[in-house]
Amino acid sequence: MRQIKHPTIEQVELTDIMYALADPTRLEIVARLAKAGRKMTCGEFDLNRPKSSMSHHFKILRSAGLVETVIDGTEHMNSLRIEEIERKYPGVLQSVLKATTAIDFDIFRQPPR
Amino acid sequence: MRQIKHPTIEQVELTDIMYALADPTRLEIVARLAKAGRKMTCGEFDLNRPKSSMSHHFKILRSAGLVETVIDGTEHMNSLRIEEIERKYPGVLQSVLKATTAIDFDIFRQPPR
DNA sequence: CCTATAGTTCGATTATATTCGAACAACAGA
DNA sequence: TCTGTTGTTCGAATATAATCGAACTATAGG
């Protein structure tokens, strides 16, 4: 598989988005992507979880139309499909992202030893 | 139990709201409450489901801080806590509701016989 | 080629949600 | 006080999701 298949924005349902964003891990991934404002590899999010779990969450984010993944060598570069989502569901992603900036997500921090 | 306990707006987490709205049945309930713009009893939403299921969904909507239920005689009057939610998470509920107005939710329609 | 790297897929386990009938509680009206 | 109405609670079945190790794929670089 050369590149990964993504749904078109027409295929993206609101409930897909809500479901994808309802999981704290995925909400954190989306929030970090937005904050970074650039493409990020899966490995860059060190959420203290095995890569099979991360891969699972990215798969759901892709199928919800929230994330686009471009394969570049061995790395998978992820970015938010924020313009498309905003066009179809104005304000949804924007307001949720705004609401997340105040949140700490300290559950993902590595416990100090 | 005279009246039902609700969380304060301070206790309401964004993930609670996202989780509550991720279920199509609950999203439909919230959308209808918003569209009606008035208090509605649980029985008014005929979503073709037994009342124990409806009660379950209302319980989750209440615990997410989305719905307030006031007991009036034998009826339970439900309303959206939209002002409070908007103050804490501006745009979230508003944009989601706007996005739902275009949706049909025909899965809830009683099949014609 | 060989090896390391980045992610995916598979399969099994565990956890969490949904669903709904039945029993229950609170209340109104006769 | 009896009866119907409205909704909650309980408990069990079923469905869906999250988790993660292990095996696998594709690619880059020597």
Side-chain angles (χ1 to χ4, degrees):
Chain A
M1 195 193 307
R2 184 118 211 87
Q3 288 292 336
I4 296 177
K5 263 294 211 178
H6 295 82
T8 65
I9 189 66
E10 288 79 22
Q11 293 172 322
V12 173
E13 304 284 341
L14 179 65
T15 47
D16 299 335
I17 294 177
M18 299 310 290
Y19 163 67
L21 295 179
D23 181 275
T25 305
R26 292 192 291 264
L27 187 57
E28 166 72 358
I29 290 171
V30 168
R32 287 224 208 159
L33 273 174
K35 203 172 179 181
R38 59 175 175 83
K39 293 181 199 294
M40 292 176 74
T41 65
C42 307
E44 279 190 89
F45 309 81
D46 39 57
L47 301 183
N48 200 22
R49 275 173 177 70
K51 51 187 188 166
S52 58
S53 299
M54 291 302 284
S55 183
H56 165 72
H57 287 303
F58 274 101
K59 190 176 187 177
I60 288 169
L61 287 171
R62 279 193 297 268
S63 72
L66 285 165
V67 165
E68 184 185 31
T69 305
V70 176
I71 301 179
D72 175 25
T74 66
E75 293 183 330
H76 292 205
M77 303 306 297
N78 301 286
S79 54
L80 275 187
R81 295 176 64 179
I82 192 159
E83 292 85 0
E84 293 172 280
I85 303 283
E86 276 300 307
R87 209 178 315 128
K88 181 153 187 185
Y89 301 116
V92 173
L93 194 44
Q94 201 177 65
S95 59
V96 171
L97 285 171
K98 196 166 182 180
T100 59
T101 58
I103 301 176
D104 232 301
F105 286 113
D106 52 9
I107 52 168
F108 296 111
R109 267 202 278 281
Q110 182 81 258
R113 20 175 200 101
Chain B
M1 194 193 306
R2 184 119 211 87
Q3 287 292 337
I4 296 177
K5 262 294 208 181
H6 295 82
T8 65
I9 189 64
E10 288 79 21
Q11 295 172 320
V12 173
E13 304 283 340
L14 179 65
T15 47
D16 298 335
I17 294 177
M18 299 310 290
Y19 164 68
L21 296 179
D23 181 274
T25 305
R26 291 191 292 264
L27 187 57
E28 166 72 359
I29 290 171
V30 168
R32 288 224 208 161
L33 272 174
K35 203 172 179 181
R38 58 174 176 81
K39 293 182 199 293
M40 292 176 73
T41 66
C42 307
E44 277 189 270
F45 308 81
D46 39 57
L47 301 183
N48 199 23
R49 274 174 178 72
K51 52 186 185 165
S52 57
S53 300
M54 292 301 286
S55 183
H56 165 72
H57 287 303
F58 274 102
K59 189 176 188 176
I60 289 169
L61 287 171
R62 279 193 297 267
S63 72
L66 285 165
V67 165
E68 184 185 33
T69 305
V70 177
I71 301 179
D72 175 26
T74 66
E75 292 182 331
H76 292 205
M77 304 306 296
N78 301 285
S79 54
L80 276 186
R81 295 175 65 178
I82 192 158
E83 292 86 1
E84 292 173 282
I85 302 284
E86 277 300 307
R87 209 177 317 127
K88 180 154 188 184
Y89 301 116
V92 173
L93 194 44
Q94 201 177 65
S95 58
V96 170
L97 285 172
K98 196 165 182 182
T100 59
T101 58
I103 301 176
D104 230 302
F105 287 113
D106 52 9
I107 51 168
F108 296 111
R109 267 201 278 280
Q110 183 81 257
R113 5 171 215 104

